[in-house]
Amino acid sequence: MAKRTWLMALLAGASVLTGLGTASTPKAYAADDGGTMTISDAQFLWTCGFSPFNPSSNFLSVGLVYEPLMFVNTLQDAKVSPWLASAYQWSAGNTVLTFTLQKGVKWTDGQPFTAADVVFTFNMLKKFPALDLNTVWSALSTVTASGDDTVVFTFKSAAVPFFYYVADQVGIVAEHVWGKVKDPTTYLDGTPVGTGPYTISHCTPQDVSYARNPQYWQPGLPKIAKIEYPAFTSNPPANELLATGQAQWGGQFIPNLKAEYLSKSKDNHYWFPPVVNVAVFINQTVPLLQNVAVRQAMAFGIDRARVAMIGEYGYELPANQAGIVTPTFATWLDKAQLTKAGYAYDPKKAIAILEKAGFKRGDDGTFASPDGKPLAFTIINQSAYTDWVAALQVMAQQLKAVGIKLTIQNLAGSDYNARLFNGNFDLAYAYESGGPTPYYEFRQWLYSAGSAAIGQAASTNWERYSNKATDALIDSYAASTDPKAQYDIMSKLQNVMLQDVPLIPVTEQADWDEYSTAQFTGWPTPEDPYAQPLGGYTFPDWGVIMLHLHEK
C-alpha cells in the first residue's frame, strides 16, 4: 500500500478517538459521575494477570490500561487514527517508519511517558521472543529514539503490513516498571501501570473491576467511571445477566436472540459483523493427519452450511476453504480458484478420496490406514461456548458418515488454551485474531515463525504448519507495496488452503455484539463502524469503544 494512502487514512481518522491531540490538564471527576458499565460474556475464571504480552490476558489490558501507538480499524479498510502517537511517516522505499508521540502523557504512577518507553518495549520483545506475539522482529532491524517524542523503526526490507503489528497490536509499557522485571515471560503483571483511560481497581477469579484514570491525558475522557467484567464459564448465566438488564454489553452467542434478548427491551440491540474464521486446526505433527488425503476428506465431509445453521442459528455464515471472510473481505477472494477446487459438501467425494489413498472401512464404519490405524481423532473445544459444542456435535455426525470418528473434548478455558497453544491436540476448534486485511489471518495460520515445537506455547499457527514456499509468499507480501502484487500473493496463499488443507474454516466468526442503549450511548453500528464491536474480546478496539461511550 502506498505511503500516501496511509497518510490520507490517518488524516481522515484523526477525529475517531475524540480528544486526541496535544494533552492538557485532565478533568477531575466526581466519584459517582459516569456510571458503571457491566460486560457479560463467557470466558473463564480470571487469573488476575494483565500482561499485554500474554495471549491469555492481553485482551484485558491493551486499549484499556496499556495503549498502542495508533489504532487501525479492520471494519473501515484499515483506517488509521492517532493514539499514543500523533503522526507517523514512512520513508521512501517503506523501510523506515517514524512516529511522533503525543506530548504530556503520563503513566498512572505519575512518571512521564517518553520515546524511551517505546524503544524499551520493542527491544524487550526482541530480547524475549516469547513476548513477540506477532514476530515483528522477523522484519525489524532496529528501534531507536530521536529525542523524547520521536521513535524510528527500521525494517530489514519494505514492510508496510507490519504497521498494523507495531502500531496497533503492541501495548506500550513503562521502562521504569518492566525494566525491573527479571523474567517478563512469566510476569503476571497483577497491578499494571499504564497510560490508558482505566486502571485495575480490583480483581478476583470471578470479577475484574476497572476504574477511570482521573489523570488520563485526554481531557474529559473516559466518560464512564467504572467497568465490571464478571467471569462466566458458560453462556447461559452470561445471557441471563444481559436479558435482565444487569449487564449493558455482551459478547457471546445467544441461541434465540429475538426471544431471549431483543424482546426484553426496546433498548436492546445487536450487530454481528464477520471478521475471521472459526476453523478446525489440524495438528500437522500427528502422523495420520500428515496425510493430505485425510485432511481433504474432512474438508469435503463437513457441511458448513448446516453447522452454521444448527450450531450458530444462522447468525454466523458458513466459511469457505479458501479462507477469505465474506462479505468483509470479499474483494480478496479468488472465486475462480475456489470454484475449481470444488469444496462443497460432498460425502461421496470424501469417501472416494480416502479409498483412493488406500484406506479401508472397518465393520464399525470407520476407515483405517493400510497399516490398520483407524481414522479416529479427538478435537478440543471451549466448553463455555455452547454454540461451538452444538456445532461440533453436528460435525461429528457428518464425519462419522464418511468413516472418520470424532471424539469431542469440551474443556474449561484455561485448560483449552494451554493445550491449544502447546499443540497438545489432534484437532482444535478455534479462531485467530485476524487483522485489517485477510493477510493477517493467513500469516497467523501459516507462518512457521509464529509457531513453536510441541510442548512450547505458540503465539499463532497452533496447528504447527511449516512450508518454506508458503513462508516465502508471506514474506514477499510484507515486502510489497503494490496492491496488485499483494492480491496475487493472497491468491497463491488461498491455493495453499485449497491444496494442502492445513486447517478447515467452518464458519465465519462474527463479532458477537449485544448492547443496551437504556443507559449508555455512542455504540459502534453498521452506519458508524468506528471499531470492532465485540465486547471485551477484541483489543485495542474495546478501549476505543469505551472512549466513545457515555451516559445518556
Side-chain angles (χ1 to χ4, degrees), residues 303 306-307 310-311 389-399 408:
D303 185 349
R306 187 166 178 78
V307 173
I310 296 177
V389 172
L392 284 175
Q393 289 171 346
V394 176
M395 272 188 278
Q397 294 170 358
Q398 293 169 350
L399 290 176
I408 304 166

Side-chain angles (χ1 to χ4, degrees), residues 271-346:
W271 181 33
F272 299 156
V275 287
V276 292
N277 293 276
V278 182
V280 175
F281 286 71
I282 304 171
N283 193 325
Q284 305 291 311
T285 70
V286 174
L288 274 177
L289 293 172
Q290 290 175 334
N291 189 326
V292 70
V294 176
R295 304 197 297 267
Q296 290 174 338
M298 287 195 292
F300 279 104
I302 295 174
D303 185 349
R304 294 170 171 85
R306 187 166 178 78
V307 173
M309 183 55 63
I310 296 177
E312 306 295 344
Y313 279 61
Y315 297 127
E316 287 187 349
L317 299 172
N320 59 72
Q321 186 56 40
I324 300 294
V325 172
T326 61
T328 305
F329 301 123
T331 59
W332 294 86
L333 179 62
D334 187 334
K335 293 181 182 177
Q337 188 173 237
L338 176 61
T339 301
K340 183 178 179 181
Y343 276 102
Y345 174 54
D346 191 340

Side-chain angles (χ1 to χ4, degrees), residues 379-396:
I379 183 166
I380 62 170
N381 181 48
Q382 284 257 27
S383 60
Y385 299 169
T386 53
D387 52 335
W388 286 14
V389 172
L392 284 175
Q393 289 171 346
V394 176
M395 272 188 278

Side-chain angles (χ1 to χ4, degrees), residues 71-79 164 274-275 328-329 433-437 529 531-532 541:
F71 173 58
V72 183
N73 189 350
T74 295
L75 298 180
Q76 289 186 315
D77 194 24
K79 179 179 175 180
Y164 171 67
V275 287
T328 305
F329 301 123
S433 58
T437 73
Q532 281 186 246
D541 296 58

Side-chain angles (χ1 to χ4, degrees), residues 227-266:
I227 305 170
E228 294 293 338
Y229 200 164
F232 294 100
T233 55
S234 65
N235 283 347
N239 294 346
E240 179 68 16
L241 204 73
L242 271 177
T244 56
Q246 299 176 74
Q248 297 77 42
W249 194 5
Q252 74 270 4
F253 169 74
I254 299 176
N256 190 337
L257 190 70
K258 184 175 181 179
E260 296 185 25
Y261 180 65
L262 297 178
S263 66
K264 304 297 182 183
S265 169
K266 63 180 177 54

Side-chain angles (χ1 to χ4, degrees), residues 456-476:
Q456 298 178 13
S459 59
T460 59
N461 190 350
W462 300 312
E463 80 279 11
R464 272 67 180 174
Y465 179 75
S466 181
N467 183 308
K468 290 182 179 178
T470 303
D471 286 346
L473 284 172
I474 292 171
D475 287 338
S476 64

Side-chain angles (χ1 to χ4, degrees), residues 27 29-38 198 212 220 222-227 248 519-521 546 549-552:
K27 178 181 178 181
Y29 294 93
D32 60 350
D33 183 21
T36 298
M37 166 76 70
T38 299
Y198 288 91
R212 181 169 52 201
K223 299 292 187 185
I224 296 175
K226 298 178 182 177
I227 305 170
Q248 297 77 42
Q519 182 180 358
F520 300 109
T521 189
M546 291 306 302
L549 296 177
H550 56 86
E551 285 193 306
K552 294 173 73 173

